[in-house]
Amino acid sequence: MHVVAVVAMEGVVPFDLSTPCEVFGRVRLPGGRAGYQVRVCGVTREVSAGAFDLRVRCGLEELTRADTIILPGVAEASAVVPEALLRAVRAAAASGARVASICTGAFLLAATGLLDGRRATTHWLATDELARRHPAIRVDPKVLYVDEGQFLTSAGAAAALDLCLHMVRLDYGSAVAADTARLSVMPLERDGGQSQFILHEPPAPDGSSLEPLLRWIEESLDKPLTLEDIARRAALSVRTLSRRFREQTGTTPLQWLLRARVRRAQQLLETTGHSVESIAARVGFGSPTAFREHFQRLVTTSPQAYRRAFRAAPIKANGAIRPQSSALTMNPSPDDPGRLLMAR
């Protein structure tokens, strides 16, 4: 089984510690088997977590047996990182373990030297300080997370969910990740250009007045639908349709249609060998060029690069799959006021 070791250092942020425990701990593979075994490992057996103290079951020796190591944020980014932790993380990385940081946990990972020469991110309030302290790291303050293959870093709070679900998808594919996302009640497609790679059901609760219409659109993605076609199907005027869409989905009918087409394209790129041209036609784009342009804008990568990164891999008998190397990142718009809500 894929073992995830979550490190609890003095001053650990409880949210950052609990997020990977909950996300990875709830992953279930087809048939109900657990996808991960999660262990919380302390630098010492008793750790202060601000409002309360923790007593952990495992020590740093467990890092040598971990497939993935998570370094949560700490309340004081300037805190001295224990040498024992630095040695343990370096040794595990040298043995091939994947190492990820959450929020200010990037400072712990940076202290190991493993991020030198790589891109990384952290909480937006701390990116300047990370860059100042570690000039060898290319700090990107505008992303939810950065995947550099063996080493991954995320911004604060909700970005930890994005990062953990991303790793689940790399390990076990989109279907398992989507089921995990639903358990986390995690919105995985954000406005403002914050593209998400996880496929999920449209944001329409059962019983909403638009639900039948949304399902019909999902079943008609290959057709050249217009705003008038959608309004006619709903037996509403274009103006009333647009108002209800905005109220119930937070976007316009045509934008929802476009995102639905891209979601379907993501699924086909992951699960089939169809060409990009064939997928463009199957999801209702007028031309492969239009498809590539819209896909690039919403997902922030090309269809071919997306397929290389997220094509479903077979699950090994022991359930452990080494992560693929990927340079894909989540790029929020710097002008989006909602961006600050994604970080603590």
Side-chain angles (χ1 to χ4, degrees):
M1 185 179 294
H2 190 120
V3 177
V4 176
V6 185
V7 176
M9 190 178 118
E10 189 75 6
V12 67
V13 176
F15 187 99
D16 297 351
L17 176 71
S18 62
T19 297
C21 294
E22 284 296 297
V23 173
F24 292 113
R26 292 180 182 276
V27 172
R28 292 295 178 270
L29 306 183
R33 182 165 54 94
Y36 300 90
Q37 183 178 83
V38 180
R39 298 170 182 167
V40 177
C41 306
V43 176
T44 57
R45 289 306 174 95
E46 292 189 2
V47 176
S48 171
F52 52 87
D53 294 335
L54 297 172
R55 183 172 179 80
V56 301
R57 298 174 181 172
C58 304
L60 294 180
E61 67 277 2
E62 289 296 324
L63 270 58
T64 62
R65 292 182 279 274
D67 299 288
T68 295
I69 296 170
I70 308 291
L71 299 174
V74 290
E76 294 295 335
S78 59
V80 176
V81 184
E83 186 61 33
L85 176 57
L86 297 178
R87 289 196 304 268
V89 173
R90 291 186 190 118
S95 298
R98 175 173 62 186
V99 186
S101 66
I102 294 172
C103 193
T104 54
F107 286 83
L108 310 184
L109 184 51
T112 67
L114 296 171
L115 290 179
D116 288 355
R118 304 177 187 275
R119 289 179 63 236
T121 194
T122 186
H123 190 293
W124 62 272
L125 284 174
T127 51
D128 288 346
E129 181 63 15
L130 181 64
R132 186 189 67 80
R133 285 201 217 171
H134 301 278
I137 300 173
R138 302 192 303 276
V139 179
D140 190 339
K142 299 179 181 178
V143 294
L144 295 176
Y145 64 78
V146 174
D147 180 346
E148 285 280 286
Q150 186 181 6
F151 306 105
L152 305 91
T153 54
S154 80
L161 285 163
D162 292 288
L163 177 62
C164 291
L165 291 168
H166 172 71
M167 288 190 283
V168 172
R169 186 171 198 162
L170 289 175
D171 294 339
Y172 294 119
S174 62
V176 172
D179 286 343
T180 307
R182 282 189 284 271
L183 286 174
S184 301
V185 197
M186 176 63 181
L188 293 165
E189 186 169 347
R190 302 182 183 179
D191 293 332
Q194 302 185 55
S195 305
Q196 302 301 306
F197 289 134
I198 303 293
L199 183 70
H200 68 290
E201 292 298 319
D206 290 342
S208 72
S209 62
L210 286 181
E211 184 190 1
L213 179 64
L214 298 181
R215 293 187 182 278
W216 174 78
I217 294 175
E218 287 279 345
E219 295 166 359
S220 309
L221 296 178
D222 59 327
K223 298 179 175 60
L225 298 178
T226 65
L227 183 59
E228 289 72 21
D229 293 332
I230 299 173
R232 190 178 305 113
R233 174 73 184 191
L236 297 170
S237 69
V238 169
R239 182 176 179 179
T240 300
L241 174 72
S242 298
R243 176 175 56 80
R244 290 191 182 177
F245 247 85
R246 179 66 67 180
E247 290 172 349
Q248 295 187 33
T249 71
T251 189
T252 67
L254 293 183
Q255 280 298 312
W256 195 94
L257 172 63
L258 176 61
R259 290 179 180 273
R261 283 174 167 158
V262 170
R263 285 197 301 268
R264 178 69 58 80
Q266 288 175 285
Q267 182 184 40
L268 293 173
L269 287 166
E270 293 176 15
T271 60
T272 75
H274 298 319
S275 67
V276 170
E277 291 74 16
S278 174
I279 290 175
R282 286 169 181 263
V283 299
F285 284 98
S287 70
T289 299
F291 168 55
R292 289 186 177 94
E293 289 176 353
H294 287 299
F295 195 94
Q296 179 74 43
R297 181 171 62 83
L298 291 176
V299 188
T300 69
T301 191
S302 69
Q304 288 289 15
Y306 181 90
R307 169 172 272 169
R308 286 194 299 270
F310 291 110
R311 183 70 180 270
I315 298 174
K316 294 181 180 179
N318 65 359
I321 299 179
R322 286 295 180 189
Q324 306 172 41
S325 176
S326 172
L328 301 177
T329 58
M330 306 306 174
N331 293 290
S333 165
D335 298 321
D336 176 22
R339 182 169 69 94
L340 303 185
L341 299 179
M342 305 305 169
R344 185 171 26 247

